[in-house]
Amino acid sequence: MAIRRICKYGEKILEKKTKKVNFDEVKKDLPALLADMYETMDLVAGAGLSANQVGLDMRLAIILIHRDGEPSLKITIINPELVERSGTLSAEEGCLSFPGLFAKVRRSAKVKVRALNEKGLPIEINAEGIFARALQHEMDHLDGVVFTDRLPLLSRLKLKPVLMRLKRRWKKMDETKLSPKRRALS
Ligand code: CO
């Protein structure tokens, strides 16, 4: 297993729609790739990570939801498609590609998603709460959309100079170089 560098805001791969995965073509390499993604997400205590966030043009993401400090839901979604949505809910969101930045994002309260799991089997997910939010956030990544794109125009305008400044700092951040001490703490 290996830690992978997480692409940050401003890196072009985050702005591009990812390619649909041909499961048979990738199944041999998938266990190692997913192990790397889970290890990387765990290192920085994330709740979700898309393949393009680690530099791969693939419609694939992982989600790990914690409840009371314990991992309670872990799921891999390949070629996910949103089939139903209902309600709206605003809540604070962050992103591993925007370290330390949080903003209130309006999303659907409930979603139904169809995807393949890590074994290539079709799954249907009915989600609400933080799980529904994580699914929408990750599926947005796979479409080249980041959470700040979802903010109202005025918030986006206010955030622009802040992002320009942070972008320079984020560019230099490399998760593969985090010290073991930092790893133990996260
Ligand atoms: Co994100």
Side-chain angles (χ1 to χ4, degrees):
M1 293 209 294
I3 299 292
R4 306 230 178 178
R5 182 181 176 275
I6 299 173
C7 299
K8 307 301 183 308
Y9 168 77
E11 296 177 39
K12 289 290 163 216
I13 192 157
L14 294 176
E15 295 163 21
K16 222 180 119 249
K17 192 178 164 100
T18 51
K19 275 200 206 100
K20 210 170 167 186
V21 172
N22 179 328
F23 189 80
D24 288 329
E25 267 174 23
V26 301
K27 70 177 173 197
K28 192 165 54 70
D29 303 318
L30 203 57
L33 166 63
L34 289 174
D36 285 1
M37 285 178 69
Y38 276 107
E39 194 185 356
T40 303
M41 183 172 68
D42 193 47
L43 170 69
V44 288
L49 185 68
S50 62
N52 50 340
Q53 281 183 288
V54 289
L56 300 164
D57 185 5
M58 297 169 83
R59 192 166 176 82
L60 175 162
I62 60 172
I63 290 172
L64 180 65
I65 308 284
H66 283 78
R67 194 159 287 156
D68 304 324
E70 294 293 319
S72 70
L73 191 125
K74 180 177 166 179
I75 195 162
T76 300
I77 47 170
I78 301 169
N79 301 336
E81 295 301 334
L82 187 79
V83 288
E84 265 176 54
R85 60 164 86 230
S86 62
T88 52
L89 212 58
S90 277
E92 189 106 310
E93 233 172 83
C95 178
L96 297 177
S97 296
F98 296 70
L101 188 83
F102 297 91
K104 240 181 172 182
V105 184
R106 199 176 179 83
R107 302 246 186 220
S108 298
K110 289 185 182 181
V111 292
K112 183 188 275 192
V113 172
R114 292 203 185 112
L116 298 179
N117 68 8
E118 67 282 358
K119 295 187 183 93
L121 301 171
I123 50 169
E124 189 173 274
I125 308 159
N126 286 293
E128 55 181 51
I130 189 171
F131 185 28
R133 181 164 295 275
L135 280 166
Q136 291 170 81
H137 180 113
E138 295 315 317
M139 288 174 69
D140 264 357
H141 271 305
L142 299 177
D143 288 331
V145 174
V146 290
F147 80 123
T148 53
D149 295 335
R150 293 282 180 199
L151 299 175
L153 179 63
L154 199 62
S155 309
R156 287 207 310 275
L157 289 174
K158 273 196 228 159
L159 199 58
K160 213 171 175 180
V162 181
L163 284 176
M164 285 302 130
R165 187 161 37 82
L166 289 170
K167 196 162 102 169
R168 264 172 264 143
R169 198 187 308 163
W170 287 339
K171 211 170 150 183
K172 295 177 211 142
M173 282 179 71
D174 186 350
E175 290 70 23
T176 65
K177 295 194 173 68
L178 286 178
S179 71
K181 194 180 164 197
R182 164 72 204 276
R183 287 187 191 192
L185 287 171
S186 67

